[in-house]
Amino acid sequence: MGADLFGSCAESTCAAMVISAVVFAADPNALLYPILISAVGIPISLVTKLLLV
């Protein structure tokens, strides 16, 4: 089950990067935005898991 969740997360991040590459072709920093959202979401989810237990 964990591999399926990782696959879904990786596929959605890659899809967001492809869309941002097509829409914002002039700005290469737009590719970092989907990765930034995932990178910030992981520690926040861990903190909320520790606080709600």
Side-chain angles (χ1 to χ4, degrees), residues 4-52:
D4 184 43
L5 292 174
F6 175 74
S8 298
C9 180
E11 290 168 2
S12 64
T13 302
C14 289
M17 288 176 63
V18 168
I19 291 171
S20 67
V22 171
V23 174
F24 302 107
D27 186 15
N29 290 328
L31 291 175
L32 297 177
Y33 188 65
I35 297 172
L36 179 67
I37 292 174
S38 297
V40 169
I42 293 170
I44 289 175
S45 66
L46 291 174
V47 168
T48 56
K49 176 66 177 167
L50 292 174
L51 291 176
L52 295 176

